[in-house]
Amino acid sequence: MRKTAAMLLAAASLALPSAAVAQADAPVAGAKPAASTYRISPGDQLQIYVWGDERLQRALTVLPDGTFAFPLAGTIAAAGHTPNEIEEMLSKLLAPQYKGVPQQVTVSVAAPAGMQYSVIGKVRAPGNFSPTRYVNVLNALAQAGGPTDFADVGNIIILRTTAGRSQVIHTHLSAIFKGRPSDGDLSPASVPLIQAGDTVIVP
């Protein structure tokens, strides 16, 4: 597998959205934000925009306890929630300030700085990692130096805890490392994004 490191980096660059995915652009009036499955972590940098009230446009960082303070809404428990869930929370909390009319709120993750994950097992540089952009399992392996010669890349496991419940995600990357991946092998379902707190195990 000595050639797998270069192959890994090449495949990762194709399968993963660039850092621009995580950057927050200025919202477009009337545009409906796309749903996100990313769950906010302490340390993440957020961009918040309340339509019709530019005074409430904020760039802030989620505190170590998973919360942030927002004008007229108070303290928001953000950790573990998606940006869309935070939008709904803020909209309801701000409604009394606008004669009971829920405000349209946009929340985006400018930098997932709080996202940390671990890679263990048969990789060349196992450890804990804190990326500044979204990463998938291929990028996680690349940051850990790539798999060793005897790694079983067809049975990589991602351990994830969501809302107190543990989940085991199996990934099969053999076709990628053999240099014959199909479109399905490079799809988000086959090459899942890493979430905060994940542990990637390479047997």
Side-chain angles (χ1 to χ4, degrees), residues 22-39:
Q23 297 300 319
D25 295 326
V28 178
K32 184 177 180 180
S36 172
T37 58
Y38 176 78
R39 295 194 175 273

Side-chain angles (χ1 to χ4, degrees), residues 66-158:
T67 68
F68 66 85
F70 196 79
L72 306 180
T75 300
I76 308 298
H81 292 284
T82 66
N84 300 94
E85 291 171 345
I86 301 301
E87 290 171 354
E88 294 178 4
M89 291 182 195
L90 286 172
S91 181
K92 292 178 181 179
L93 290 170
L94 292 173
Q97 307 296 329
Y98 297 91
K99 298 181 180 181
V101 179
Q103 293 301 107
Q104 182 179 348
V105 180
T106 299
V107 176
S108 57
V109 180
M115 190 172 73
Q116 298 182 357
Y117 65 88
S118 302
V119 182
I120 61 176
K122 294 179 181 177
V123 290
R124 302 184 188 281
N128 300 317
F129 301 89
S130 300
T132 57
R133 61 187 177 98
Y134 295 104
V135 299
N136 63 20
V137 66
L138 276 176
N139 285 95
L141 294 180
Q143 289 188 325
T148 63
D149 292 344
F150 300 102
D152 184 0
V153 294
N155 290 291
I156 294 172
I157 295 172
I158 301 173

Side-chain angles (χ1 to χ4, degrees), residues 33-55:
S36 172
T37 58
Y38 176 78
R39 295 194 175 273
I40 295 168
S41 301
D44 284 354
Q45 298 174 27
L46 307 181
Q47 290 279 355
I48 301 177
Y49 189 87
V50 179
W51 296 100
D53 197 338
E54 294 185 357
R55 299 172 303 169

Side-chain angles (χ1 to χ4, degrees), residues 116-119 158-162 169 193-200:
Q116 298 182 357
Y117 65 88
S118 302
V119 182
I158 301 173
L159 298 182
R160 176 172 300 165
T161 300
T162 304
I169 300 170
L193 286 174
I194 298 297
Q195 295 185 11
D198 280 359
T199 298
V200 180

